[in-house]
Amino acid sequence: MGVVEKIKEIEEEMARTQKNKATEYHLGLLKAKLARYRAQLLEPASKSGPAGVGFDVQKAGDARVALIGFPSVGKSTLLSKTTHTASEVASYEFTTLTAIPGVIEYKGARIQLLDLPGIVEGASQGRGRGRQVVSTAKTADLILVMLDATKSDEQRRLLEIELDAVGIRLNKRKPDVVFKRRTTGGITINCTVKLTKTDDKTIRTILAGYKLHNCDIMIREDITTDDFIDVLIGTRKYIQCLYVYNKIDAISLEQMDKLAHTPNTVVISCEMESFLSLDHLIERMWDELNLVKVYTKKRGAQPDLSDPICLRKGATIEDVCNGVHRSLAQNYRYGLVWGRSSKFNPHAQKVSLAHQVQDEDVVSIFTK
């Protein structure tokens, strides 16, 4: 029996099993097996055979945004309208057959936008080159799920299932759980909160399923069984997502208003960009990416405001040094910072490599 058949068999058994207190341990074991088989499907243990053909697109710019969606929802049109890249556009499905990158220049930042081929149901199991598509999406800092506003919400649910099956968790944060393997000493589980969605026995059952008999676990939030399995596997990607509904010029105002007020959702019309501007979408992308701009300043000169260094929120002076040159942090003596992160704003503060910068700070670096 192949891996795909085993996955289907477990999914059917989970669908037949009633969810109650008596079956939660059995369901936990089935979920652990399902996650293990899906990991095998994505990353086969055997290295024999010819190499597969993937989408080898070099990561460029300050952030990467991936366009995911079913065929003919307007992904290529969006890429062509927001970047200077021409992606083939046609009225038939599967026009795009490989990953096509484009660059959005916004507020001094260069955001790489990837137009990925349309995926079909069962993509996580390899249908329609779906495995390459969703694996490329794992490298993105933000995912845009393109949807057709004229179709039902079933398209959104199916896409979420496919992305979830390959280990992409949309709009979720990593569970606050610390897991450490040991060679001896058995299993130690410590919780700082009361667990209401799982329990000690279920956790130990899952650990036994993975043949883990010696480990330390610290749980700092009320997690579910699925969250704990994600921690054990350790390869899950937690990525922010925006649901972009295209073709809203073909629906009623009431439907458009309902979609627009849904969390993490943007409504657009690629064919009527003069009326329904795409600027709002780019602004939302900028907000979700959490980028900060830092300007550099030479001694005795004015700050260079034309070429900012774009970093992720929470970046430090060390990241700024690496953004200028790799060897700068090794020869770092001290730095001066003007802006929001300075204690003495509007005056400068002398800072170390560990100092966190904020948006539109001005940094002057002094070396040994």
Side-chain angles (χ1 to χ4, degrees):
M1 185 183 292
V3 177
V4 176
E5 288 77 17
K6 288 178 181 177
I7 289 173
K8 190 176 180 182
E9 186 180 310
I10 291 173
E11 287 176 340
E12 288 173 353
E13 187 175 349
M14 288 175 65
R16 289 195 306 266
T17 306
Q18 291 184 353
K19 293 181 180 179
N20 53 51
K21 199 71 177 174
T23 61
E24 63 181 12
Y25 310 116
H26 178 62
L27 283 171
L29 195 57
L30 289 176
K31 286 178 180 178
K33 284 183 180 179
L34 185 62
R36 191 162 65 247
Y37 286 138
R38 279 177 174 167
Q40 287 179 16
L41 193 66
L42 291 171
E43 301 169 8
S46 174
K47 299 295 181 183
S48 60
V53 180
F55 300 135
D56 188 14
V57 181
Q58 183 178 357
K59 196 166 185 177
D62 303 303
R64 170 179 278 190
V65 179
L67 280 169
I68 293 279
F70 288 118
S72 296
V73 293
K75 299 188 297 297
S76 299
T77 307
L78 179 64
L79 181 78
S80 301
K81 302 255 184 198
T82 55
T83 70
H84 301 297
T85 305
S87 182
E88 188 178 352
V89 179
S91 57
Y92 53 85
E93 295 186 346
F94 299 106
T95 312
T96 306
L97 299 176
T98 187
I100 300 174
V103 175
I104 299 173
E105 295 184 1
Y106 184 72
K107 291 186 177 180
R110 291 170 57 84
I111 302 170
Q112 186 183 49
L113 188 63
L114 276 186
D115 177 18
L116 297 174
I119 64 175
V120 295
E121 191 175 353
S124 58
Q125 297 176 4
R127 287 187 61 194
R129 298 193 75 186
R131 198 177 299 169
Q132 290 98 320
V133 173
V134 291
S135 295
T136 305
K138 277 188 170 184
T139 65
D141 302 303
L142 174 69
I143 290 178
L144 295 186
V145 174
M146 286 285 288
L147 302 165
D148 190 336
T150 62
K151 296 181 180 177
S152 68
D153 284 340
E154 182 69 10
Q155 54 177 339
R156 174 170 170 170
R157 190 186 69 84
L158 290 172
L159 283 170
E160 287 174 342
I161 289 172
E162 296 300 332
L163 294 174
D164 190 79
V166 296
I168 297 176
R169 303 291 179 258
L170 300 177
N171 296 326
K172 290 182 181 177
R173 60 181 182 83
K174 191 175 181 180
D176 193 359
V177 178
V178 179
F179 170 74
K180 290 183 180 179
R181 295 173 185 264
R182 294 192 303 185
T183 54
T184 58
I187 297 171
T188 305
I189 302 174
N190 294 309
C191 302
T192 59
V193 295
K194 186 179 179 181
L195 298 179
T196 60
K197 301 166 187 173
T198 188
D199 57 24
D200 190 277
K201 186 178 176 183
T202 305
I203 290 172
R204 290 180 184 274
T205 304
I206 294 167
L207 289 171
Y210 279 91
K211 297 180 181 178
L212 295 169
H213 307 294
N214 299 288
C215 58
D216 285 331
I217 299 167
M218 171 64 76
I219 302 173
R220 298 194 183 101
E221 67 173 277
D222 189 12
I223 60 169
T224 63
T225 302
D226 293 324
D227 290 336
F228 182 70
I229 293 170
D230 288 347
V231 172
L232 282 186
I233 293 175
T235 58
R236 302 304 190 223
K237 292 289 183 180
Y238 299 86
I239 305 175
Q240 285 299 111
C241 169
L242 279 178
Y243 297 96
V244 182
Y245 282 89
N246 189 23
K247 307 178 185 178
I248 59 167
D249 51 300
I251 61 174
S252 65
L253 282 173
E254 290 78 9
Q255 288 175 297
M256 184 183 74
D257 186 62
K258 183 182 177 182
L259 290 175
H261 286 85
T262 308
N264 303 310
T265 300
V266 180
V267 293
I268 63 167
S269 175
C270 290
E271 296 301 325
M272 297 178 64
E273 76 274 9
S274 57
F275 302 103
L276 302 165
S277 176
L278 301 176
D279 292 342
H280 176 60
L281 172 61
I282 298 174
E283 285 177 14
R284 287 291 302 272
M285 286 165 54
W286 174 265
D287 293 338
E288 294 293 334
L289 286 169
N290 280 329
L291 294 175
V292 294
K293 293 182 298 180
V294 177
Y295 303 102
T296 55
K297 177 184 178 301
K298 292 182 180 179
R299 183 186 296 182
Q302 292 295 319
D304 182 9
L305 303 180
S306 62
D307 187 20
I309 299 172
C310 292
L311 305 164
R312 304 306 294 270
K313 195 172 183 180
T316 62
I317 292 292
E318 185 174 2
D319 297 317
V320 176
C321 292
N322 292 331
V324 177
H325 195 273
R326 195 177 300 171
S327 64
L328 203 57
Q330 298 172 359
N331 301 317
Y332 182 86
R333 190 171 65 177
Y334 70 92
L336 295 178
V337 173
W338 293 262
R340 296 178 187 173
S341 68
S342 171
K343 287 182 182 178
F344 316 115
N345 191 25
H347 302 291
Q349 178 188 351
K350 191 175 180 179
V351 296
S352 67
L353 282 172
H355 177 81
Q356 282 194 2
V357 294
Q358 293 190 28
D359 193 28
E360 298 191 341
D361 276 357
V362 175
V363 177
S364 188
I365 296 169
F366 298 85
T367 55
K368 295 174 184 175

